[in-house]
Amino acid sequence: MTSRQRLQLAINHRIPDRVPLDLGSSITGLTRASAEQLCRFLGIEQALKVIVKPLQLVEPPEELLERLHIDTRYVRPIFPNQDGLEEEYIDEWGIKRRLSSDGLYYDIVEHPLREGTLEEIDRFQWPEPRRREIFQGLEERARYLYFHTDYAIIGDPLSPALFEPAWYLRGMENFLVDLVQNRKYAEKLLDTLLEFQFQFFDEFLSRVGGYIQVIMLGDDLGTQRAPLISPELYREIIKPRHKRLFEFIKSRSEAKIFLHSCGAIRPLIPDLIDAGVEILHPLQPLAWGMEHFELKKEYGNKLCFWGGIDIQSALRGSLQEVVFEVERRINALGQGGGYVLAPAHNIQPDVPPENIVEMFDHTIEVGRYVA
């Protein structure tokens, strides 16, 4: 069975020969430092290319993906100037970021939308969603992967959907207050971002929509203990716009809608399904209410689950803890198909490289679905 067949069966709630494996996206990826450690551990020598500057995520070398039995390959835009490590920079959205003290990632230190007025949104210099240079070579790569390899092909736009970019621009505290006390502003900001995404995804999917099996989107909606906003507020303001975005994407591709949303989002899951989410990541296992056996029982006939391997504790532990973690997640989420194994988020430098190898190697050994 090929990797593409394996993943397509899994995301359609059928049982392939083994659990598919994923690594290398902007949310199931490797930070620069962790990739360097892993490549040294495996004796792989290759220059690493940064694909997401704020998180210092890199493109995993093909040799590494093959060694770890990864079933997925990615097509994504190419944003310029990702490799530098200057102390501060301002991105295309006008957001100022500063390198952390350990040099591992960038923090947001200034948000460009400070006034909270409708006029501010009108005069803001929005990025160009159809910039030709970021899409160069995208269709050629997707076509090559589709016709010349057997890998599953995933579209990774390298940017969050709606809720996250809104608070990136406005500031988390300000935007959460806006949702309640400055609703006209919050809705106009979200609608402007939605229009940007319509144009971006129209361009992106016109090039790769016929080749990909999954399209990744992200909007973190939870903390470790609860959703960031109430289900009622999500239902009133965010959900209708999520639904429009997901419907737009589905009108241009048969790819499954994948949503990454960290934290304790269980109260929001019924609405996410209703909005059009078909695959849910990361299933953060240590977040409140995210018990995997219960999630599978309640939503396993409606959602495919992706991720789930705990990076907060288990992957930082012993090899035996990694073995136990892999088996626990497969047993919980692999009942009857509908599961793709991957880390619950990007792998950080404090994860021992031997644990990463064990996670994927052990899945090859034991990763059979339970009918």
Side-chain angles (χ1 to χ4, degrees), residues 95 108-113 163-180 186 189 219-223 226-229 233 262:
I95 299 166
I108 296 177
V109 293
E110 286 186 18
H111 308 273
L113 298 183
F163 179 78
E164 279 191 66
W167 76 254
Y168 289 178
L169 291 167
R170 185 79 174 102
M172 172 69 81
E173 184 176 347
N174 285 339
F175 186 65
L176 291 178
V177 171
D178 290 337
L179 288 171
V180 178
L189 177 54
D219 254 347
D220 283 342
L221 296 166
T223 70
L228 278 162
I229 59 176
L233 198 56
C262 282

Side-chain angles (χ1 to χ4, degrees), residues 72-319:
T72 54
R73 296 296 185 272
Y74 282 85
V75 290
R76 45 190 157 227
I78 300 174
F79 291 100
N81 305 319
Q82 297 297 297
D83 282 302
L85 264 181
E86 60 268 41
E87 184 176 343
E88 288 184 348
Y89 76 99
I90 297 175
D91 68 17
E92 62 176 344
W93 295 84
I95 299 166
K96 181 185 261 190
R97 300 176 186 268
R98 181 176 299 150
L99 191 64
S100 62
S101 59
D102 55 17
L104 296 177
Y105 55 88
Y106 283 87
D107 293 311
I108 296 177
V109 293
E110 286 186 18
H111 308 273
L113 298 183
R114 301 179 182 89
E115 298 174 9
T117 64
L118 301 181
E119 294 76 17
E120 177 185 46
I121 295 174
D122 289 334
R123 68 173 182 267
F124 185 68
Q125 295 297 308
W126 296 93
E128 169 51 55
R130 297 181 182 269
R131 286 175 301 157
R132 186 171 299 177
E133 65 271 20
I134 70 173
F135 299 109
Q136 286 184 351
L138 189 65
E139 184 173 359
E140 291 78 4
R141 172 167 168 77
R143 188 186 303 116
Y144 174 84
L145 288 171
Y146 190 85
F147 288 111
H148 298 283
T149 81
D150 294 323
Y151 294 117
I153 310 169
I154 317 298
D156 184 4
L158 298 182
S159 63
L162 295 171
F163 179 78
E164 279 191 66
W167 76 254
Y168 289 178
L169 291 167
R170 185 79 174 102
M172 172 69 81
E173 184 176 347
N174 285 339
F175 186 65
L176 291 178
V177 171
D178 290 337
L179 288 171
V180 178
Q181 297 184 359
N182 194 7
R183 186 167 290 195
K184 283 186 178 180
Y185 177 88
E187 293 196 8
K188 180 165 184 175
L189 177 54
L190 289 167
D191 285 338
T192 306
L193 286 165
L194 181 61
E195 180 57 36
F196 177 93
Q197 295 290 42
F198 284 160
Q199 294 187 50
F200 174 87
F201 278 104
D202 183 58
E203 190 71 31
F204 185 70
L205 294 171
S206 71
R207 299 166 185 262
V208 306
Y211 303 115
I212 60 176
Q213 288 77 64
V214 174
I215 180 73
M216 284 187 160
L217 301 108
D219 254 347
D220 283 342
L221 296 166
T223 70
Q224 191 81 10
R225 297 191 57 80
L228 278 162
I229 59 176
S230 70
E232 292 75 20
L233 198 56
Y234 174 77
R235 203 171 292 133
E236 290 174 13
I237 300 180
I238 308 297
K239 177 182 175 181
R241 293 165 174 88
H242 269 167
K243 190 177 182 70
R244 288 179 61 195
L245 177 59
F246 301 158
E247 288 175 346
F248 181 88
I249 290 170
K250 293 296 281 190
S251 73
R252 283 154 175 79
S253 175
E254 295 181 3
K256 297 282 188 181
I257 299 291
F258 170 120
L259 182 71
H260 162 87
S261 188
C262 282
I265 61 165
R266 188 167 180 173
L268 305 178
I269 290 178
D271 286 299
L272 294 175
I273 294 171
D274 189 54
V277 174
E278 297 167 290
I279 301 170
L280 188 62
H281 177 274
L283 316 169
Q284 188 175 334
L286 299 187
W288 178 87
M290 300 299 287
E291 292 84 3
H292 289 176
F293 280 103
E294 294 179 11
L295 291 174
K296 182 71 173 185
K297 181 178 179 180
E298 193 167 358
Y299 302 112
N301 63 332
K302 297 177 181 177
L303 284 174
C304 171
F305 297 112
W306 192 302
I309 299 296
D310 171 39
I311 68 165
Q312 291 180 278
S313 177
L315 273 189
R316 292 173 163 89
S318 67
L319 287 176

Side-chain angles (χ1 to χ4, degrees), residues 50-61:
V50 174
I51 57 172
V52 182
K53 184 170 184 171
L55 301 178
Q56 288 294 289
L57 298 175
V58 299
E59 181 92 51

